Amino acid sequence: QVQLVESGGGLVQAGGSLRLSCAASGRTFRRYAMGWFRQAPGKEREFVAAISPSGGSAYFVDSVKGRFTISRDNAKNTVYLQMNSLKPEDTAVYYCAAAAPPSAYDSATYNRPRSYDYWGQGTQVTVSS
């Protein structure tokens, strides 16, 4: 069982930056692919970014490429989402998720919510114009 706790959300002006953190419990964090999703009011949950278990590969939805980065520290059981040049359309609740093997090693599935076994409670990000 893995528990995920997000932090770092808040209110920021357009063009600003935020860094989200997701702390995971358990000893097997390094075996999981980690993803970030977001959900705006009235919209479906959307893939944002994912990182492979080793941290060697990262994936992003087109709308955040060049603005967001994802990283992980397996020694600290934590994954990060650095968000720069934020736009009002980035406003959403952001969720951290963990994908266990074998999905963890299939990058083609990283953008699918059903590939993930554990989810955090979410953290609100609001970008004002």
Side-chain angles (χ1 to χ4, degrees):
Q1 191 78 341
V2 175
Q3 292 185 325
L4 304 173
V5 179
E6 301 99 335
S7 60
L11 173 63
V12 64
Q13 289 188 332
S17 298
L18 283 174
R19 187 175 83 154
L20 305 184
S21 299
C22 173
S25 65
R27 301 180 181 179
T28 58
F29 177 75
R30 67 183 186 280
R31 298 178 61 209
Y32 290 82
M34 300 299 297
W36 286 95
F37 289 76
R38 66 187 179 187
Q39 189 166 18
K43 295 187 177 181
E44 293 187 353
R45 192 165 295 192
E46 174 191 32
F47 168 75
V48 176
I51 189 165
S52 60
S54 68
S57 298
Y59 306 85
F60 300 90
V61 68
D62 285 347
S63 60
V64 308
K65 285 180 180 177
R67 300 189 297 123
F68 291 12
T69 58
I70 187 171
S71 61
R72 65 190 295 161
D73 185 336
N74 284 347
K76 295 183 178 179
N77 282 16
T78 302
V79 62
Y80 305 96
L81 185 69
Q82 178 67 44
M83 305 186 295
N84 298 328
S85 301
L86 282 161
K87 303 176 180 180
E89 51 263 43
D90 294 317
T91 295
V93 177
Y94 283 70
Y95 297 91
C96 169
S103 295
Y105 298 100
D106 185 0
S107 61
T109 68
Y110 284 178
N111 62 342
R112 304 173 191 172
R114 65 176 182 269
S115 297
Y116 294 82
D117 303 278
Y118 304 102
W119 292 82
Q121 81 289 350
T123 185
Q124 177 71 47
V125 171
T126 303
V127 184
S128 64
S129 57

